[in-house]
């Protein structure tokens, strides 16, 4: 298995589809413990990613992902903008000058993305943020680079659901303290969609 | 006078503009630029607006950024890394109240590090 | 839900309104009233606007006042003495940031003294 | 010497005249160490006092001064509104049920006004505020109830000028710290006009 430019494009398009389909659901999640805009932010941001990149010629996945990062940063808004922007920028940097992305590159790229999110958000595992989805997915690749796509999808989904039990200590949800418990973290849901899309494009690669 | 520029980053266009008016009433010559709301003018922050405001606020003696809640800080930090203006720094202080102190200090011709100290000091002690 | 009313007192109409929009986006059902600017809508505060806002914010579980700089506090204290609403109290906290915390707390159904404690606590510690 | 209702009206009218005449000067003073509105505030406030009270019938100076207090509070705006409002309210309360104001009443009334300002502003002597004019004037009456009007005027004027040397530690001017030195405090200037008007109406009584 290796990912080429068109597989990455596929990943982005699938991600965008999932953001559009689940726009209302993400809004609903953010309504409970935030400001109700996460679905709006993600749907707008990924739509812009597609609009911006679809007719461009890129030398490599890294070049494409750099544009993705800049677009997410400036179009998502809210906390998710700088966070996903940073993650994709780190991914782009990790894959610099590579035309074919090997399983090992995926592992290292996602690790760099996760580190970027942690740094940007000054957050760590267990604070009820998207980190709680990124972390177990990265762990999966570390345990077995050749992890099955279905396992990636399942792990991300379970991790998303597990954020329900956590108390938020970062981001807007943290203002709700104990009352944040019992709700899925919106950013963890959008991260699940991104990994679900990645799993599908790995499967098709 | 007032060469250290000030950028007000808020989730709300109105908060940013209102704060600018409030401080400019007292300090007419200090450069104060706003980055309020999303690109669409809705509640949120925009990295592009922040970057523009930094460029406009730069009069070569440094730029100070004040922000309101949550993600405004992440976008501000991002902007500090991305901007071509050097000598840009974030202040940890309440937006409206901090901007007032910062503008008075800048108007008195203080340097960037002195302004940061004055603002930070104002909010470590109890408000009277 | 959200029976403790919140009054935002600012020298600026825009700051008061923007802050209301910011917190209402998150807490739609909390009563938030504004008293921004002078009677003429200029920079300043108006005791009549404050008194009106207190009356409108009163849903019988108390009213909390947040204010921005300087004389806003004196006018707020004056209003607390003059209003017929009992159970009105000032919070010592930055306007925008304090209003956000207060609104979330009120929206969670907290009582007035609990809200004051939560807000005060948020600003005694360093902002992260 | 005793002040009657029409002497108090005279005091208010003279005060208003001085505020209108010195509107620009008060603005200028506030421009240096404040927000440039003190002249606007005082001219508007005292104009409203005259408009509000001139055609009303009052039982006593106290009744008149209560209306003055409420008008100043709501029409002056800024810090001076609640401060002068409180001062005139205390004066009104001190003179309650009195139709003729004796020198001793003036002394006690002004003392109550001064106390009110101190309490409302959480300030004391030497902080470069109007208190620095009220305080020596009250002291004058305490030293000699029958103080000459010209002495009241001179004392208030000197006290106003003396605020130049002080460093502000209350109000907007306090943000300027050392740089507030060298400027007359605007509120001390408006207080000087009020006492100057009082001196004139005592002389005419
Ligand atoms: N400091 C942080 N570190 C990591 N992730 C964060 C942080 N703050 C917020 N998030 C993530 O961002 C999501 C919210 O995104 P979004 O609604 O777009 O931003 P906002 O809260 O500014 O409206 C949260 O659900 C959480 O997953
Ligand atoms: N805390 C205070 N105690 C006593 N007097 C004060 C205080 N704060 C301000 N003042 C007086 O009020 C004057 C300023 O009035 P004004 O310009 O109308 O209000 P603002 O400063 O709100 O614009 C000052 O010059 C000072 O004399
Ligand atoms: Mg949100
Ligand atoms: Mg948001
Ligand atoms: Mg003033
Ligand atoms: Mg003013």
């Amino acid at each position: 298995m290796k990912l080429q430019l068109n597989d990455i494009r596929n990943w982005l398009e699938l991600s965008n589809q999932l953001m559009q389909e689940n726009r209302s659901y993400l809004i609903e999640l953010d309504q409970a413990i935030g400001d109700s805009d996460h679905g709006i932010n993600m749907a707008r941001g990924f739509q812009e990613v597609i609009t911006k990149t679809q007719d461009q010629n890129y030398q490599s996945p890294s070049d494409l992902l750099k544009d993705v990062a800049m677009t997410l940063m400036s179009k998502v808004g809210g906390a998710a903008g700088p966070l996903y922007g940073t993650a994709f920028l780190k991914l782009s940097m990790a894959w610099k000058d590579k035309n074919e992305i090997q399983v090992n590159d995926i592992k290292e790229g996602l690790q760099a993305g996760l580190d970027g999110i942690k740094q940007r958000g000054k957050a760590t595992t267990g604070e009820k943020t998207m980190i709680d989805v990124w972390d177990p997915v990265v762990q999966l690749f570390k345990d077995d680079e050749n992890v099955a796509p279905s396992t990636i999808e399942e792990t991300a989904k379970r991790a998303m659901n597990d954020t329900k039990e956590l108390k938020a200590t970062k981001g807007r949800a943290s203002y709700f303290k104990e009352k944040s418990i019992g709700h899925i973290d919106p950013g963890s849901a959008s991260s699940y969609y991104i990994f679900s899309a990645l799993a599908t494009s790995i499967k098709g690669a | 006078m007032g060469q250290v520029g000030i950028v007000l980053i808020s989730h709300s266009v109105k908060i940013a503009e209102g704060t600018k008016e409030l401080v400019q009433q007292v300090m007419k010559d200090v450069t104060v630029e706003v980055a309020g709301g999303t690109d669409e003018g809705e509640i949120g922050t925009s990295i592009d607006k922040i970057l523009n405001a930094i460029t406009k606020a730069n009069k070569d003696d440094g730029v100070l950024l004040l922000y309101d809640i949550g993600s405004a800080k992440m976008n501000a930090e991002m902007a500090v890394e991305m901007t071509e203006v050097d000598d840009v720094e974030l202040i940890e202080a309440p937006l409206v109240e901090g901007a007032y102190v910062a503008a008075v200090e800048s108007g008195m011709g203080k340097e960037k590090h002195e302004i940061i100290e004055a603002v930070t000091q104002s909010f470590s002690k109890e408000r009277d």
Side-chain angles (χ1 to χ4, degrees), chain A, chain B:
Chain A
M1 197 281 330
K2 50 184 185 279
L3 299 177
Q4 291 178 317
L5 188 59
N6 67 318
D7 299 310
I8 303 295
R9 284 195 185 273
N10 192 28
W11 175 27
L12 298 171
E13 260 152 40
L14 290 170
S15 297
N16 181 41
Q17 261 173 42
L18 288 169
M19 298 306 167
Q20 304 308 328
E21 282 167 26
N22 296 287
R23 189 175 179 278
S24 309
Y25 177 61
L26 291 174
I27 289 174
E28 210 178 285
L29 292 179
D30 201 24
Q31 197 157 15
I33 52 172
D35 58 351
S36 320
D37 63 358
H38 193 59
I40 304 170
N41 293 346
M42 295 308 293
R44 179 182 54 219
F46 270 87
Q47 188 53 61
E48 290 281 346
V49 162
I50 301 305
T51 310
K52 165 92 188 174
T53 59
Q54 62 190 353
D55 300 322
Q56 300 259 79
N57 282 320
Y58 293 99
Q59 297 293 319
S60 65
S62 175
D63 282 356
L64 164 58
L65 289 173
K66 196 177 166 210
D67 263 12
V68 172
M70 300 318 270
T71 307
L72 291 176
M73 256 174 224
S74 70
K75 296 300 172 189
V76 171
L83 291 166
Y84 282 126
T86 302
F88 277 89
L89 197 61
K90 297 289 181 184
L91 208 57
S92 156
M93 284 155 65
W95 294 351
K96 197 156 176 60
D97 302 325
K98 296 200 164 141
N99 285 315
E100 301 193 328
I101 309 301
Q102 311 291 339
V103 279
N104 180 53
D105 298 322
I106 301 185
K107 179 187 77 180
E108 286 178 359
L110 294 183
Q111 176 75 61
L114 169 59
D115 292 345
I117 294 174
K118 284 184 172 177
Q119 210 180 350
R120 177 67 57 211
K122 299 193 176 62
T124 184
T125 316
E127 302 204 80
K128 196 181 185 102
T129 71
M130 54 177 71
I131 292 170
D132 294 311
V133 168
W134 281 71
D135 207 315
V137 170
V138 168
Q139 197 53 52
L140 210 59
F141 279 93
K142 277 164 122 176
D143 292 345
D144 172 11
E145 281 182 2
N146 291 301
V147 56
S150 61
T151 309
I152 301 172
E153 201 269 349
E154 284 157 19
T155 302
K157 188 171 192 171
R158 191 174 329 106
M160 168 189 78
N161 282 318
D162 286 350
T163 63
K164 215 168 168 169
E165 305 314 318
L166 296 173
K167 189 179 101 179
T169 51
K170 282 279 150 48
R172 283 179 186 264
S174 66
Y175 289 90
F176 291 86
K177 292 175 254 182
E178 277 70 29
K179 298 241 175 178
S180 66
I181 297 171
H183 304 276
I184 289 174
D185 168 57
S188 295
S190 56
S191 287
Y192 159 61
Y193 299 136
I194 290 171
F195 288 121
S196 167
L198 178 64
T200 309
S201 59
I202 288 174
K203 193 160 63 189
Chain B
M1 201 181 96
Q3 288 307 104
V4 176
I6 293 167
V7 171
L8 306 174
I9 305 170
S10 173
H11 274 69
S12 151
V13 180
K14 283 186 189 169
I15 293 176
E17 285 179 355
T19 305
K20 179 177 155 81
E21 286 168 17
L22 181 67
V23 306
Q24 295 274 17
Q25 191 201 22
V26 179
M27 290 286 124
K28 294 180 184 57
D29 303 329
V30 175
T31 305
V32 179
E33 298 293 339
V34 295
T38 64
D39 289 339
E40 291 78 28
E42 280 157 24
I43 298 285
T45 51
S46 148
I47 186 116
D48 295 330
K49 282 192 177 181
I50 300 172
L51 286 168
N52 271 334
I54 291 173
T55 306
K56 285 203 282 175
N58 179 33
K59 299 281 179 279
D60 287 331
D61 289 316
V63 177
L64 285 169
L65 315 184
L66 286 120
Y67 66 94
D68 56 6
I69 56 165
S71 66
K73 183 176 183 178
M74 277 192 258
N75 266 322
E77 286 172 337
M78 199 97 222
V80 173
E81 290 163 27
M82 286 166 69
T83 181
E84 272 154 33
V85 178
D86 21 71
D87 211 14
V88 183
E89 226 169 306
L90 239 78
I91 307 192
E92 306 287 329
L95 178 66
V96 178
E97 296 83 354
Y100 193 89
V101 177
V104 174
E105 293 285 324
S106 174
M108 292 194 291
K110 295 287 173 66
E111 284 177 38
K112 196 169 113 271
H113 71 96
E114 295 173 303
I115 301 175
I116 294 176
E117 203 184 288
V119 175
T120 314
Q121 228 176 355
S122 308
F123 301 100
S124 59
K125 62 167 195 259
E126 286 268 296
R127 302 212 308 168
D128 65 1

